[in-house]
Amino acid sequence: MSRPSPSARLSFPLIDLTPLSASSPTPTALSTLSTKFSTAFSTTGFAYLTNAPLSLDHGDILALAHHFFSLPHSEKMSAAKKTFRMENPNTYRGYFPAQAGSDNLKEGLEIGPKKSLPQTLDVTAKFNLVEQNVWPESFASSRERAEVLHEELQSLSSQVLSLLALALGKDASHFEPYLENSISTLRLLHYPTIIRHLLQQELCCTPHTDSGILTLLHQDETGGLEILSTDGQWVPAPYVPGSIVVNVGDLMSKVSGGKFRATHHRVRSSPGKSRYSVAFFFEPGAECLVNNLDDDKEPSVLYGSHVLEKMIGWVEFQDLGKKRSCLEDG
């Protein structure tokens, strides 16, 4: 497995979002931001965001993950997906435990919109993309903050999407229909310390692209996130205090006709350290038909079907429930 090259160089620009905190950002400020996003997403597909208009600071956001993953395993499992606890009805939202022996060694809590979404897809499907959230009772003190964070990141992502519409020569409101009944996911993540018999494990999250429009990531100081450069080198995306890492998903790449890059990335294990992060996957509605703006002959993609297809390769949705979690109590 190739390690990051010390000589590899890849620019991850810093984009200051201060103008978005204004009640009425000036056209000049919005145009400047639009150009910065276009440049970043056309080259690396990644950027760092600073001064985001959020009510929770970086520490508050990571504290949500620390709180949830400090709960006893039995309490986390009370909100586990059906894949991992057969008596639970939830299939898409909720908790997934870390699976021993997997190169995706992480546990997580997946949180969708607070509001109820209409059931528009096949009700017999194995996974219900529009189901309600599930919460352990012992997480009640953090639930409201998690719901607020989801709403604020949805709003911020929508603002960025309007800037991308401008960069693609469209009206700022062009993508608003995409967001009807959006199924965006807030995911609290914990990459546990590698246990003794897995010390040779190099990755705790294998190379992949994200399925949606954008991903906004709060990461801690542990590091480990790596981005695949255009020349095939794995380049670290180090922690920048107070920043959000943003990257393009498959959907935005398709819509832009490939102008914006959905870049492969992975997480390398950090021996002797746990890693915490909070990722927001900005997604359209499950029924959204995604089209290439520059080629009306290219087949449309139904977003819900696209997600279900990608889930085949995601450990957190595979039938590994009979395997013992590496984090079980005792």
Side-chain angles (χ1 to χ4, degrees):
M1 180 182 299
S2 63
R3 299 190 63 86
S5 168
S7 62
R9 294 291 181 267
L10 187 63
S11 172
F12 299 110
L14 283 167
I15 301 178
D16 187 346
L17 298 183
T18 298
L20 296 185
S21 296
S23 55
S24 298
T26 66
T28 299
L30 293 178
S31 177
T32 299
L33 281 177
S34 176
T35 299
K36 289 181 178 180
F37 276 109
S38 180
T39 300
F41 291 164
S42 299
T43 51
T44 67
F46 273 76
Y48 290 98
L49 307 180
T50 59
N51 298 313
L54 301 175
S55 62
L56 299 177
D57 65 24
H58 196 82
D60 294 332
I61 292 168
L62 289 175
L64 294 173
H66 280 271
H67 179 192
F68 180 80
F69 297 114
S70 70
L71 299 177
H73 183 74
S74 58
E75 293 185 34
K76 291 182 289 186
M77 286 298 291
S78 70
K81 301 173 186 181
K82 188 177 184 67
T83 299
F84 303 100
R85 194 171 190 237
M86 291 300 296
E87 59 267 37
N88 286 359
N90 50 300
T91 60
Y92 188 60
R93 303 301 181 191
Y95 173 67
F96 62 88
Q99 298 299 293
S102 166
D103 283 333
N104 285 284
L105 189 61
K106 60 182 181 288
E107 58 175 335
L109 177 68
E110 305 205 271
I111 304 164
K114 181 179 179 180
K115 69 174 186 177
S116 298
L117 298 175
Q119 181 62 263
T120 55
L121 296 179
D122 182 2
V123 295
T124 65
K126 185 176 181 180
F127 301 104
N128 181 3
L129 301 180
V130 297
E131 69 187 9
Q132 286 285 278
N133 292 319
V134 291
W135 306 92
E137 291 183 8
S138 49
F139 193 64
S141 61
S142 294
R143 172 178 173 174
E144 183 177 351
R145 281 178 292 160
E147 290 173 337
V148 167
L149 180 60
H150 188 292
E151 292 174 355
E152 292 186 352
L153 288 172
Q154 180 77 10
S155 177
L156 172 58
S157 300
S158 299
Q159 289 177 290
V160 174
L161 183 59
S162 69
L163 297 173
L164 297 181
L166 295 175
L168 294 170
K170 303 295 182 180
D171 292 335
S173 62
H174 179 81
F175 291 115
E176 286 181 2
Y178 278 47
L179 303 182
E180 183 177 356
N181 298 322
S182 166
I183 59 171
S184 296
T185 296
L186 178 69
R187 180 184 282 187
L188 309 184
L189 286 164
H190 173 222
Y191 300 82
T193 303
I194 302 299
I195 55 181
R196 285 189 298 274
H197 69 278
L198 295 176
L199 285 177
Q200 299 305 312
Q201 183 167 328
E202 291 193 61
L203 300 180
C204 50
C205 184
T206 52
H208 64 283
T209 58
D210 296 333
S211 60
I213 302 172
L214 300 169
T215 301
L216 279 67
L217 176 73
H218 287 82
Q219 62 174 336
D220 68 9
E221 299 177 10
T222 304
L225 178 63
E226 297 175 352
I227 317 301
L228 186 63
S229 68
T230 54
D231 61 357
Q233 300 288 339
W234 287 104
V235 182
Y239 167 74
V240 174
S243 71
I244 303 172
V245 180
V246 61
N247 65 276
V248 172
D250 297 335
L251 170 57
M252 199 68 242
S253 180
K254 177 178 176 59
V255 165
S256 68
K259 176 180 179 180
F260 299 147
R261 298 182 58 230
T263 307
H264 280 80
H265 50 286
R266 67 186 186 183
V267 180
R268 179 173 291 280
S269 301
S270 299
K273 296 181 180 179
S274 288
R275 179 179 187 266
Y276 293 87
S277 64
V278 177
F280 183 74
F281 299 97
F282 182 47
E283 301 172 276
E287 288 259 301
C288 177
L289 280 175
V290 182
N291 299 289
N292 182 339
L293 294 180
D294 296 327
D295 186 358
D296 56 10
K297 294 182 180 179
E298 184 177 323
S300 300
V301 172
L302 182 67
Y303 184 67
S305 298
H306 170 67
V307 172
L308 290 170
E309 183 178 344
K310 288 205 73 167
M311 284 166 60
I312 294 173
W314 296 346
V315 168
E316 54 268 38
F317 293 102
Q318 293 177 14
D319 290 324
L320 303 179
K322 294 183 180 179
K323 288 189 177 182
R324 178 177 171 85
S325 163
C326 64
L327 296 178
E328 287 186 30
D329 296 341

